[in-house]
Amino acid sequence: MAKTNWDRYFQSQMQDVELRTLVEAERAALEIGHRLATLRRKRKLSQTQVAAALKMSPATISRLEHNARNVTIETLLKVARALGAALDIRLKTAQ
């Protein structure tokens, strides 16, 4: 598959350690939020229902699903339990 100009640009930008660190953190936050939303939908629950079970506002659940930056492990555990899931945290070797 041929690389596009965007692919080449992105690859060159990822050589900057600081920028790569920011991009990786954002990607991780988006992945967490996506997984929370996917699991909630799979359980056929609304954000309001999950929020009520956790005594949180629906806006908080929405924020977690759309921007899970700076979320605590404690909060993730509570949300996971409310969704009938387990929290699995893995550390990977830096590339």
Side-chain angles (χ1 to χ4, degrees), residues 2-76:
K3 286 194 173 189
T4 64
N5 286 340
W6 166 252
D7 292 329
R8 285 187 289 277
Y9 173 75
F10 184 78
Q11 189 174 28
S12 71
Q13 293 302 302
M14 291 301 97
Q15 299 304 311
D16 180 327
V17 175
E18 186 176 340
L19 180 59
R20 185 175 62 241
T21 300
L22 291 171
V23 168
E24 288 170 354
E26 185 66 22
R27 185 178 293 174
L30 290 171
E31 184 178 341
I32 290 168
H34 176 74
R35 286 180 185 225
L36 290 174
T38 300
L39 186 56
R40 177 183 56 75
R41 287 187 200 107
K42 187 176 181 180
R43 301 281 194 258
K44 297 183 177 174
L45 296 170
S46 68
Q47 290 178 342
T48 302
Q49 290 170 313
V50 174
L54 295 168
K55 296 181 176 40
M56 293 179 178
S57 71
T60 299
I61 301 304
S62 178
R63 182 185 58 78
L64 290 173
E65 290 182 3
H66 292 94
N67 181 9
R69 273 186 251 129
N70 298 321
V71 63
T72 65
I73 292 173
E74 180 181 358
T75 298
L76 287 175

